């Protein structure tokens, strides 16, 4: 069956459920992962709201509770099991339907554990069966039986799922899915399948539609967002070019032309895919933000090799230099893992050294977490927890020190920001972000919301900058 037909069938299930569920059904959703996972949740919400479910934050009022899980690090598991423990009583009292989906469901040891220890869960669905949620819910409702809908495949692309977006200014658009890189610490390739890209036309039309509906900022998403259409080109898998779009660089250029869109971001790229055309496109496209995420993971060439990252310390630093030369006002953010198996003090110093040299705008730091089924988990020289934590603290101190210095450098500068809304803590002020993703709070009229405006930064408050309109 082709994917279009599969979606059509799901729409029929939505109609069927409408006929059998009572009015005013409510759902609660917990999203535990990355932006892709969040974008999937927006699709889950889209399907549920199409059925007629209304969202609630209160699990006690929910008829259906959905978890969209992540498994990239261990703490996600603890959070899920903790929440499930809590839900048991709620279910006993209210008969709540409990469904769990997302990346963690692609791991057999996890689904086994849920079936054994949390038998009250009604539905388990994986990353490749998200689009079948209506059918799965229908089965649970009509057959009153537990349902498991998880398959292990390379993955397909489904277009045309309903979507309920969180914001009406900023939208995420998944452009590719899956990963072929198999970094040795990482579970993502096992739970998300192989790289596959959406057709250029589908993406462009989605962004055009978003622009028409008043969206200003688009974030292009993919586990390896800048390898968009790479596999298709390399393996001669046919795809239809649209307006000349046949690569990540040409996609950026085409989206840059869409009227109404003011900002384009993308996450998460891989350093190996910052080819010259991509660097040039970032430099040339005025709407593409000059904050680039460049995941380092480790500074030591030896560790990078063990991690299967496909670049050395020197190559990474050369790439940074090259991008700095080509892209005026470039700022960088990164991901770093400490305590990968075999990481010595010397290796760790290389990580600190790169952080000192690059001076990132933002650093996402992680303690290495063993993931069952990955090569890293089988390596013998695992680092004791205590050492991992010590290194983490050291890295944090260095990175945060640099970030604080950089924040201070903003004071006195003029910044373009997209006014996103009222600030949470003070209704009298507005909040927005700089190109480099720094939060700016400023006094301003509500009619500025949704507009790009220029502010002067007047103070640095560590977690945010304070600005005034100029
Ligand atoms: N596709 C993205 C990564 C998604 S995971 C990318 O390549 O950037 C986000 C981050 O989690 C990774 O960049 C890495 O720093 C971290 N991470 C992944 N697996 C991990 C593990 N086993 N332990 C600790 N951190 C991990
Ligand atoms: Fe994981 Fe590496 Fe793929 Fe990123 S590129 S998702 S870190 S395997
Ligand atoms: Fe987690 Fe899956 Fe994203 S494992 S980081 S939710 S791709």
């Amino acid at each position: 069956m082709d994917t279009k037909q599969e979606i059509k069938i799901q729409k029929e299930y939505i109609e069927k459920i409408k006929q059998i569920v009572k009015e005013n059904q409510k759902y609660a959703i917990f999203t535990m992962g990355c932006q892709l996972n969040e974008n999937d949740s927006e699709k889950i919400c889209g399907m549920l709201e199409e059925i007629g479910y209304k969202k609630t934050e209160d699990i006690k009022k929910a008829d259906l509770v959905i978890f969209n899980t992540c498994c990239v690090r261990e703490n996600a598991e603890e959070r899920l099991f903790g929440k499930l423990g809590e839900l048991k009583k709620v279910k006993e009292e209210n008969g709540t339907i409990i469904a769990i989906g997302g990346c963690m469901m692609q791991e057999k040891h996890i689904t086994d554990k849920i079936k054994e220890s949390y038998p009250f869960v009604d539905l388990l669905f994986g990353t490749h069966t998200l689009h079948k949620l209506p059918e799965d819910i229908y089965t649970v409702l009509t057959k009153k039986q537990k349902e498991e809908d998880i398959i292990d495949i390379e993955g397909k692309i489904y277009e045309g799922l309903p979507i309920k977006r969180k914001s009406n200014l900023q939208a995420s658009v998944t452009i590719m899915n899956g990963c072929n890189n198999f970094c040795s610490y990482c579970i993502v390739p096992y739970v998300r399948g192989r790289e596959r890209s959406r057709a250029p036309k589908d993406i462009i039309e989605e962004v055009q539609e978003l622009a028409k509906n008043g969206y200003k900022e688009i974030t292009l998403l993919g586990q390896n967002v800048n390898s968009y259409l790479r596999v298709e080109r390399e393996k001669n898998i046919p795809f239809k070019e649209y307006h000349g779009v046949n690569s990540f660089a040409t996609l950026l250029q085409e989206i840059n032309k869409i009227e109404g869109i003011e900002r384009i971001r993308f996450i998460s790229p891989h350093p190996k895919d910052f080819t010259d055309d991509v660097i040039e496109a970032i430099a040339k496209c005025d709407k593409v933000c000059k904050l680039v995420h460049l995941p380092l993971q480790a500074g030591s060439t030896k560790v990078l090799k063990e991690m299967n990252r496909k670049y050395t310390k020197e190559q990474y630093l050369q790439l940074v230099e090259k991008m700095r030369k080509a892209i005026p006002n470039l700022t960088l953010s990164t991901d770093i893992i400490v305590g990968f198996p075999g990481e010595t003090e010397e290796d760790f110093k290389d990580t600190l050294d790169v952080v000192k040299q690059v001076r990132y705008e933002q650093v996402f730091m992680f303690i290495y977490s063993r993931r069952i089924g990955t090569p890293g988990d089988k390596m013998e020289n695992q680092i004791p927890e205590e050492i991992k934590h010590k290194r983490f603290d050291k890295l944090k101190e260095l990175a945060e020190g640099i970030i604080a210095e950089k924040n201070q450098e903003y004071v006195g500068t003029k910044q373009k920001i997209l006014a996103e809304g009222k600030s949470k803590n003070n209704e009298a002020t507005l909040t927005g972000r700089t190109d480099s993703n720094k939060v700016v709070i400023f006094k301003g009229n509500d009619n500025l919301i949704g507009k790009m405006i220029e502010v002067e930064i007047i103070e640095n408050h560590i977690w945010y900058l304070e600005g005034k309109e100029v």
Side-chain angles (χ1 to χ4, degrees), residues 157-221:
I157 301 267
Y158 290 91
E159 294 293 344
L161 286 181
I163 184 157
K164 169 83 183 152
R165 295 184 184 274
K166 262 177 34 195
S167 151
N168 48 19
L169 277 182
Q170 297 159 301
S172 297
V173 175
T174 299
I175 64 165
M176 59 84 65
N177 221 318
C179 179
N180 290 358
N181 293 332
F182 291 92
C183 302
S184 59
Y185 50 81
C186 185
I187 192 78
V188 171
Y190 305 89
V191 297
R192 283 284 181 168
R194 297 291 66 73
E195 283 181 16
R196 56 214 182 264
S197 293
R198 287 176 68 196
K201 183 167 188 271
D202 292 327
I203 299 169
I204 306 277
E205 286 180 351
E206 183 175 344
V207 180
Q208 281 168 340
E209 187 65 25
L210 287 165
K212 224 192 280 164
N213 292 327
Y215 283 86
K216 302 288 175 212
E217 184 175 311
I218 300 294
T219 303
L220 304 175
L221 299 180

Side-chain angles (χ1 to χ4, degrees), residues 69-71 76-77 80-81 101-107 110-111 191:
T69 60
C70 167
C71 55
E77 281 150 37
L80 174 70
F81 294 135
C103 293
M104 214 190 274
M105 296 306 104
Q106 297 295 136
E107 297 184 291
I110 297 282
T111 50
V191 297

Side-chain angles (χ1 to χ4, degrees), residues 226-238:
N226 56 342
S227 71
Y228 176 67
L229 286 177
R230 167 191 275 273
V231 187
E232 286 75 3
R233 283 197 314 273
E234 283 178 357
K235 294 195 177 158
N236 287 322
I237 300 169

Side-chain angles (χ1 to χ4, degrees), residues 110 117 423:
I110 297 282
S117 309
S423 86

Side-chain angles (χ1 to χ4, degrees), residues 17 103 194 269 296 315 318 336 351 369 373 388 422 424:
I17 303 173
C103 293
R194 297 291 66 73
L296 170 69
Q315 284 167 338
Q318 278 158 15
I336 295 176
T351 298
S369 169
K388 286 192 212 170
K422 284 189 199 297
K424 270 194 197 122

Side-chain angles (χ1 to χ4, degrees), residues 334-351:
T334 200
D335 289 354
I336 295 176
I337 299 174
V338 297
F340 183 77
E343 183 187 71
T344 62
E345 276 308 312
E346 275 308 301
D347 293 326
F348 177 59
K349 276 194 192 135
D350 276 322
T351 298

Side-chain angles (χ1 to χ4, degrees), residues 384-400:
E385 286 303 314
E386 197 190 303
I387 296 182
K388 286 192 212 170
H389 280 91
K390 270 200 187 131
R391 288 185 188 159
F392 182 85
D393 293 343
K394 213 166 180 178
L395 172 65
K396 190 162 178 269
E397 199 187 316
L398 173 68
E400 287 182 351

